[in-house]
Amino acid sequence: MNWHNIVTVYLKELKDSLRDRRTLLSTIIIPTLVMPLLTFGVGKVASVVINRARGETPSIVILGGEDSPGVVAQLKASKKFRVVASTADWKQRIGDKQIRAAVRIPEKFEAGLRAGAAAPVVIYHYEGELKSMLGVGELEKFFRDLRDQTVTARLAERALPPSLVRPFEFSRENVAPPEKVGGNLIGGFVPYLIIILCFTGAMYPAMDLTAGEKERGTMETLLCSPVARVDLVLGKFLMVLTGSLSAMVFMLVSMGATAFIAGSMWAGGGKAAPLAAAAAAKDSASVIPMIDPLGLLGVLAMVLPVAVLFSAVIFTVALFAKSYKEAQSYVGPLVLVIIMPAVLGMLPGIDLNFRLALVPILNLSLVCKEMLSGVWHWEYIALIFGSSCVYAGLALALAVRMFNREDVIFRT
Amino acid sequence: MIEARLLTKTFRDKKRGEIHAVDAVSFRAEPGRIYGLLGANGAGKTTTLRLLATLLKPTSGSATVAGFDVVREPEKVRANVGFLAASTALYGRLTAREMITYFGRLHGLADPEIKARLARLAVQLDMEEFLDRRCDKFSTGMKQKTSIARTLIHDPAVMVFDEPTLGLDVMTARAIVRFVRECRDRGKTVIYSTHVMSEVEKLCDTIGIIHDGRLLAEGTLAGLRTQYGEQDMEEIFVKVAGGEAKP
Ligand SMILES: Nc1ncnc2c1ncn2[C@@H]1O[C@H](COP(=O)(O)OP(=O)(O)OP(=O)(O)O)[C@@H](O)[C@H]1O
Ligand SMILES: [Mg+2]
């Protein structure tokens, strides 16, 4: 190994890549834009849609209830929903989102109540449809209140205290610090994004520096130089790693900037105390709540060996291909292999254990989720960092080996 | 100086089985002379030259190039060889100057040295006006000149040319041929592969005819003419290649 040669190769590849539009796009431009787009684009649209749905008064239909005028009148008087005339195709209309829900008041409902107990009320809704669910929520609240009123009235009639049916109250209170809340909401998503960008950042330089060079015929020119093959591989590999890390760094920096801008924007321009900003950001369905900066540093350290692993693996795979196109068809499916463990790690139920700590990518995803929410399991962190380094080292050794094989370099 | 001794290269191909691309080839190329390797498509010219330039490792046999063994000291061999082929392209996103400087550095030259040599080569090859333009915008002739400068930046003792005039127009091809002669006149060992008979006649001091991986005939142009009783190189070639029954 000759560091002088490695640096020479690296600097040349860096200059070359900076002039390649595809590489610039995947390592700088897209990573910079992804967070702002997600936050201000998708995040904003989502919060607008939800708020509008909340703001609208749900339209409902009453089925039956001719012999229970009191309840019907109360429903009609409520400001929480708008009662529209019932038609025979009410089910269809729920499906078509013209009305949000229907409520069936059983025969002799009020008479039954007076006598003691009435037949059940049934609420019809469209499962999974946001607006229908909001309408149902309001209807349920209405009937729960009605039941409570009935109970209260009955207790009063018999001169019994309300504590007879409600012997105690309970409530809940949040003890998690704000960054912990952020970690759980977003903690799964940020590592996921980091993993994907590390991969796509390495992808284009890796294909360009291997299959691309074969296709353009510069590989043979390069191999004519007296530089040892291992130096060529390492110089090229460092460039691929640079692409991977640059994608991640650009994404994180732009994420920080986005969080800052979004925070002060959603704080309403008022006294933008950090906490108020975080709270404001949270309830406007923001994608970026407060994140523990120390956790972010930890994530960066953990990602390093994984970036090495990705770079070496993509480099090796792309080296087999004869052309850029062929390389794309090999590397493309790899994305799925990466995404699966990354998505698994995003699921709320899965937590770290010693076995999962050895699964590449999934372990990173899980440990990042913990670190971002301020939890530091040092024995897992050491195990994951160590195993990632071993995987990365193996992948890099494989890349060097493949580069030395003439049936890989001169494949026909 | 190049010396090949029973140089053999066998490829394993899934469809075609074993391919004896180069089969026990022995020859000697001397400094100050041009050795021409003449052969049809698929005869094994490129493979032979790649073995000499240590891009491939021989299956068996050996060769010394500029005094170094191709198997044991491949890096030293490459440091003393300039390899130019149709398949050795330029980096399109670099300028000619950057390209040549890069290869100078890869050969371990210091930057001032590279600068001085590049200035001299640019004058010799008349490439000053496009030195700072990107290679992907070059005409074929400009590319060829840049490639030549790239092979010469480390002033190698041995020059290996693999069909360097392939796909070039007459004027550019003549310029290349003139340049190959200059290399010989400066005392370099030159090996030159082609399937163009006239080039061999004009250029080469010694001619080796390669067919199906084997070196079937070798000698000076005059020697081959007397040996095969033909004046025309093409007739000689057909006699050599066709007269030998395939085993
Ligand atoms: N990397 C390889 N893998 C398998 N077979 C190969 C490889 N390289 C060359 N061959 C085969 O070896 C034989 C010799 O090829 P070579 O390229 O040396 O011929 P050539 O004389 O240069 O021909 P051309 O005039 O077409 O350039 C051919 O049959 C070719 O298909
Ligand atoms: Mg050839």
Side-chain angles (χ1 to χ4, degrees), chain B residues 40-47 49-50 85-87 162-163 166 193 195:
Chain B
N41 292 132
K45 305 181 292 291
T46 301
T47 308
L49 299 187
R50 279 181 177 164
S87 53
D162 187 15
E163 307 199 47
L166 197 74
S193 93
H195 62 260

Side-chain angles (χ1 to χ4, degrees), chain A residues 7-149:
Chain A
V7 170
T8 303
V9 174
Y10 171 70
L11 290 178
K12 134 77 182 54
E13 299 297 2
L14 188 64
K15 187 194 286 176
D16 205 347
S17 296
L18 283 174
R19 293 178 187 171
D20 179 28
R21 221 172 295 141
R22 276 181 296 200
T23 301
L24 284 186
L25 198 69
S26 69
T27 57
I28 297 178
I29 298 172
I30 291 177
T32 308
L33 292 183
V34 63
M35 260 318 195
L37 281 183
L38 274 180
T39 315
F40 294 113
V42 179
K44 194 76 197 160
V45 168
S47 81
V48 164
V49 167
I50 292 175
N51 283 337
R52 186 181 301 153
R54 277 212 189 110
E56 275 173 24
T57 332
S59 310
I60 59 152
V61 158
I62 301 173
L63 307 166
E66 293 82 1
D67 51 2
S68 306
V71 179
V72 172
Q74 255 178 296
L75 275 170
K76 284 187 174 157
S78 169
K79 293 219 162 38
K80 299 287 187 195
F81 26 71
R82 202 154 50 84
V83 176
V84 298
S86 167
T87 48
D89 62 343
W90 58 270
K91 257 189 195 161
Q92 180 68 32
R93 285 167 71 203
I94 295 178
D96 294 345
K97 300 174 195 175
Q98 290 169 2
I99 53 175
R100 294 197 181 171
V103 55
R104 178 177 300 283
I105 298 177
E107 265 177 53
K108 303 201 186 80
F109 177 70
E110 282 178 358
L113 266 191
R114 277 190 296 274
V121 174
V122 184
I123 299 167
Y124 299 92
H125 68 102
Y126 203 91
E127 183 71 47
E129 158 66 28
L130 173 75
K131 290 184 175 183
S132 180
M133 298 313 281
L134 287 173
V136 167
E138 294 294 353
L139 274 173
E140 279 179 343
K141 188 167 177 302
F142 174 88
F143 282 99
R144 214 179 298 123
D145 287 348
L146 183 65
R147 190 170 55 191
D148 286 348
Q149 283 161 21

